[in-house]
Amino acid sequence: MSTPYPFTAVVGQTDLRLALLLNAVSPAVGGVLVRGEKGTAKSTAVRALSALLPQVDVVPGCRFSCAPAAPDPDCPDGPHGAGPGGARPARMVELPVGASEDRLVGALDIERALAEGVKAFEPGLLADAHRGILYVDEVNLLHDHLIDLLLDAAAMGASYVEREGVSVRHAARFLLVGTMNPEEGELRPQLLDRFGLTVEVAASREPAQRVEVVRRRLSYEDDPAGFAARWSGDESEVRARVVAARALLPQVRLGDNALLQIAATCAGFEVDGMRADIVMARTATALAAWAGRTAVLKEDVRQAALLALPHRRRRNPFDAPGLDEDKLDEILDRFPDEEPENDPDPEPDPGTDPEPGPDGGPENPQGPDDGGGPDGGGGVPPQGGGPQDAQPPADPAEAPADSPEAPRQPSAQADGGPEQAAVRAAEPFRTKMLSVPGLGEGAAGRRSRARTAHGRTTGAQRPRGQLTKLHLAATVHAAAPHQKARGRAGRGLVIRKDDLRQATREGREGNLVLFVVDASGSMAARQRMSAVKGAVLSLLLDAYQRRDKVGLITFRGAAAQLALPPTSSVDAAAARLEKLPTGGRTPLGSGLLKAHEVLRIERLRDPSRRPLLVVVTDGRATSAGAVGGDPRELTARSARLLAADGVASVVVDCESGPVRLGLAGALAADLGGPAVTLDGLRADSLAGLVKDVRTAVTTPASHTTRRAA
């Protein structure tokens, strides 16, 4: 077994370490979500935490980690009688992103059920994680059905399994820790709210601290056991402090003044629901216990707010997480601290450094064999010096012409027409359902019908390749007629490989939604472009909720540009859309050709994910770009090329005014899909509901689409 990296050897990342330690002191805080770029010691710190947790007393032989003093009366391995218990280290169980439902919650032991005729339950990861840590790396990439199961278990503290004739309930109380890179997509709001605390981490830009990371990392790789031994004293000190804080926790007093501070803070930041208040109260109590105090002070409430509120105040998926600290201080200053009664001398502020360095001091740079965690480290932003610390001018008009702070000035385009500055998007709205016709086999999601590993069972078939989901009834039905000939003598069935049947299931898949947006001069009227951006933003919100990948192509002037390659980060698409300028001529055909090229490449990368092309334009084509020729003819040919490839498309018609040319409708006909107006895109409009995007062409078998039943 490899030697884990010591928790106390992680450089910087003060908030991350503090959040993890507070959960070690009080698991009721509710876990931690760690957000940040790759290589910032997220996984390293989480994996190192389990070594700091106290040992767990368990009933010997119980697969569900029941406590000897208070065993679960409904434990599947129970009932447990009185007797001495055993002790084992606290577990850290990792949930892989690609795990199956059976692996998470457990399932019927098929082998024993068929061979012995008994119902035997095989526990899953939720049972293993009981009274320990459940760690999900890249939690934002976890499939929806697994997220639903995690939500249920986290809410009830128990796992219920009702399937294949098995009815089992067992305790599942665990510390949920997740790490994620926001560039790869965001979490569903329901799961986001289940994490008690959230921490944003980033690599340090301070050279001295980066050197420290590298030094410790190289030292660890050269001699993991020796490196861990040199930090064992600091690990023991932090472990003892966690035990002491747990013992002190029941004595911590949360006064009325602290409760008023918590309530006023949550109300002031307009946080939904009451979970934030409860989490803040538990976190502030844990902070006081960690500092060795029995009274909660204003500084505890402030630190609790910084950890518990940023991910709960987002009003929509595109809002950046964060908290206005000036506003927080203004709210807390209304409530002076209560005088502590018979409180022991407080420990140093835990927010500065939650554990000592190897020499007893905080993070001594000259400590033994300093180096970074396997994922890197750091997290303290530069405080001064260097060109990246230069402040922008107070007046944007004074910024240099090539500065990003300089206001964009209209500039003449080579193809005629000035470039217009970007305009803000109108308020988003709920859109109608757009889906790809036919039955796909893509990634799990919520848009189009698909054969999936999870969903409603629609039938059974012989397995093609490895059996992944047994259809028990169909298997028994296939084997039953042959039992006499096979000499069955006991309760169990005599099963052969030919009897096995795979369950076929139907659910919903996520698609690749590729937006092709007209940013030419014909769309440049500020009010009109604002409405167009609002519509695209609404479709992006819909894509976020349906777990799609998205891409963004814009066309203006003389060419089309891939503004955002296909990604799971809908936030990135919204950011690119916000900065989109307009102006110039309309190379509509070039935009469609660029879409054809992007989809061809994505088909090779991810062949199972079906595309949905959304073209946002008024249908005008005034430039053929580098291709040359008649712009309208190029547009028609490009559209028919996409239709021949079986790409499901929809045209959002942006034409307005009393006189309409109907060019977007003609484009939709060439693409083989419907056209919908901006107003008709709203789910609450009186226009007909767009249920399927119809492709009226015959395509090769690998890309065939047909109208959904």
Side-chain angles (χ1 to χ4, degrees):
M1 181 178 178
S2 61
T3 304
Y5 193 88
F7 184 87
T8 51
V10 175
V11 179
Q13 308 295 23
T14 304
D15 286 343
L16 169 59
R17 292 179 295 164
L18 178 60
L20 292 172
L21 288 170
L22 291 177
N23 275 273
V25 171
S26 175
V29 167
V32 186
L33 174 64
V34 187
R35 299 163 46 94
E37 58 196 29
K38 52 188 177 293
T40 49
K42 300 189 298 293
S43 301
T44 299
V46 173
R47 292 189 175 101
L49 177 66
S50 59
L52 302 180
L53 298 180
Q55 287 195 326
V56 178
D57 293 328
V58 296
V59 173
C62 178
R63 298 173 297 167
F64 301 88
S65 301
C66 282
D72 182 3
D74 297 323
C75 176
D77 285 354
H80 300 300
R88 62 162 176 79
R91 290 175 181 160
M92 195 201 71
V93 178
E94 293 197 41
L95 172 61
V97 170
S100 66
E101 186 176 335
D102 290 347
R103 185 71 188 96
L104 179 62
V105 301
L108 178 69
D109 188 332
I110 298 296
E111 184 178 349
R112 291 190 61 191
L114 295 178
E116 304 175 22
V118 298
K119 293 181 181 179
F121 180 71
E122 187 69 25
L125 295 177
L126 290 180
D128 293 342
H130 179 48
R131 304 175 68 199
I133 302 172
L134 181 62
Y135 171 47
V136 189
D137 193 13
E138 304 294 350
V139 64
N140 51 325
L141 304 182
L142 200 64
H143 290 306
D144 276 358
H145 67 283
L146 297 181
I147 288 179
D148 293 336
L149 294 170
L150 279 179
L151 289 176
D152 290 341
M156 297 182 291
S159 176
Y160 292 84
V161 184
E162 301 282 350
R163 55 194 307 176
E164 298 165 343
V166 174
S167 179
V168 173
R169 176 261 178 213
H170 65 82
R173 292 183 295 276
F174 47 82
L175 170 58
L176 181 61
V177 180
T179 56
M180 61 174 281
N181 184 346
E183 294 176 356
E184 297 174 339
E186 284 291 346
L187 274 177
R188 283 171 50 188
Q190 294 93 331
L191 184 58
L192 197 62
D193 189 50
R194 290 294 179 187
F195 286 98
L197 310 179
T198 186
V199 178
E200 296 278 342
V201 297
S204 173
R205 300 298 185 262
E206 178 63 40
Q209 195 170 64
R210 296 176 75 94
V211 167
E212 194 74 14
V213 171
V214 175
R215 183 180 293 123
R216 294 189 188 185
R217 168 63 175 167
L218 295 179
S219 179
Y220 171 76
E221 286 186 345
D222 289 342
D223 182 11
F227 182 82
R230 286 190 289 274
W231 288 85
S232 60
D234 302 289
E235 294 281 291
S236 298
E237 289 181 18
V238 175
R239 190 181 301 111
R241 188 174 174 185
V242 169
V243 172
R246 280 193 174 189
L248 183 62
L249 188 65
Q251 305 171 38
V252 175
R253 178 174 55 84
L254 185 65
D256 290 342
N257 203 54
L259 285 171
L260 282 173
Q261 292 172 350
I262 291 170
T265 301
C266 292
F269 284 102
E270 300 181 356
V271 177
D272 292 334
M274 295 298 298
R275 183 174 282 116
D277 302 63
I278 297 171
V279 171
M280 274 191 64
R282 290 171 174 166
T283 305
T285 303
L287 279 162
W290 177 250
R293 287 186 268 100
T294 57
V296 173
L297 304 180
K298 184 190 298 183
E299 63 194 63
D300 301 322
V301 176
R302 187 183 192 279
Q303 183 65 58
L306 294 175
L307 293 172
L309 296 189
H311 61 302
R312 291 188 166 90
R313 62 175 301 273
R314 300 179 68 184
R315 313 310 298 175
N316 66 64
F318 304 141
D319 289 340
L323 213 62
D324 184 341
E325 296 193 33
D326 290 336
K327 180 178 178 181
L328 174 61
D329 291 333
E330 180 184 341
I331 294 173
L332 294 178
D333 286 343
R334 303 174 194 164
F335 306 92
D337 268 332
E338 296 176 346
E339 291 294 330
E341 299 176 4
N342 301 324
D343 202 36
D345 293 336
E347 295 286 340
D349 182 2
T352 57
D353 198 330
E355 77 285 329
D359 63 348
E363 293 286 340
N364 179 19
Q366 306 302 324
D369 300 294
D370 300 331
D375 291 312
V380 178
Q383 299 301 316
Q388 56 193 336
D389 295 315
Q391 298 297 319
D395 184 357
E398 299 176 4
D402 58 350
S403 168
E405 287 81 18
R408 183 184 295 273
Q409 300 295 331
S411 59
Q413 300 295 310
D415 58 3
E419 176 182 308
Q420 304 293 327
V423 299
R424 294 182 62 85
E427 284 297 316
F429 51 84
R430 189 167 63 90
T431 65
K432 290 178 178 177
M433 174 69 169
L434 302 176
S435 63
V436 179
L439 197 61
E441 296 183 354
R446 297 191 168 190
R447 185 172 296 278
S448 305
R449 291 177 56 219
R451 296 184 184 93
T452 59
H454 308 276
R456 63 185 182 90
T457 301
T458 58
Q461 63 182 15
R462 292 181 182 273
R464 288 177 277 180
Q466 184 179 3
L467 178 69
T468 57
K469 201 69 179 179
L470 180 74
H471 194 297
L472 184 59
T475 299
V476 172
H477 188 269
H482 308 291
Q483 295 306 296
K484 184 175 181 181
R486 295 173 183 174
R488 174 186 172 188
R491 295 178 59 190
L493 292 175
V494 180
I495 302 292
R496 294 180 179 173
K497 187 174 181 179
D498 290 344
D499 300 327
L500 299 178
R501 295 294 183 268
Q502 174 86 24
T504 58
R505 298 190 170 190
E506 183 177 313
R508 292 278 173 177
E509 67 176 0
N511 298 109
L512 166 58
V513 182
L514 182 61
F515 294 92
V516 181
V517 180
D518 186 346
S520 65
S522 64
M523 307 284 288
R526 300 184 74 85
Q527 189 173 13
R528 183 180 183 190
M529 196 61 198
S530 177
V532 169
K533 285 188 175 183
V536 177
L537 187 64
S538 303
L539 290 167
L540 284 172
L541 277 167
D542 184 66
Y544 165 81
Q545 294 165 351
R546 301 189 187 282
R547 318 304 287 173
D548 295 316
K549 288 179 69 175
V550 296
L552 178 63
I553 293 173
T554 63
F555 58 92
R556 54 184 287 271
Q561 177 186 8
L562 180 59
L564 181 71
T567 174
S568 297
S569 178
V570 180
D571 284 11
R576 303 291 172 88
L577 179 71
E578 181 181 356
K579 300 175 182 177
L580 177 65
T582 57
R585 305 187 70 180
T586 312
L588 177 54
S590 298
L592 297 177
L593 286 177
K594 175 63 76 172
H596 181 268
E597 176 188 353
V598 170
L599 293 178
R600 178 183 61 82
I601 295 173
E602 283 300 308
R603 189 175 292 129
L604 297 175
R605 291 176 176 169
D606 192 358
S608 63
R609 190 181 287 269
R610 298 186 294 164
L612 173 61
L613 182 67
V614 180
V615 185
V616 185
T617 181
D618 57 8
R620 291 181 174 86
T622 61
S623 172
V627 179
D630 187 327
R632 290 172 293 182
E633 179 59 29
L634 175 63
T635 298
R637 290 202 316 268
S638 303
R640 290 193 289 268
L641 181 63
L642 286 162
D645 276 355
V647 177
S649 307
V650 61
V651 176
V652 179
D653 185 359
C654 302
E655 194 173 27
S656 60
V659 178
R660 304 197 177 205
L661 303 178
L663 298 177
L667 173 62
D670 288 332
L671 286 168
V676 57
T677 64
L678 288 174
D679 288 338
L681 194 61
R682 294 177 179 270
D684 54 357
S685 71
L686 298 178
L689 180 65
V690 181
K691 290 184 178 178
D692 290 319
V693 181
R694 298 173 178 82
T695 305
V697 293
T698 303
T699 60
S702 60
H703 305 301
T704 300
T705 56
R706 62 181 184 275
R707 184 176 177 182

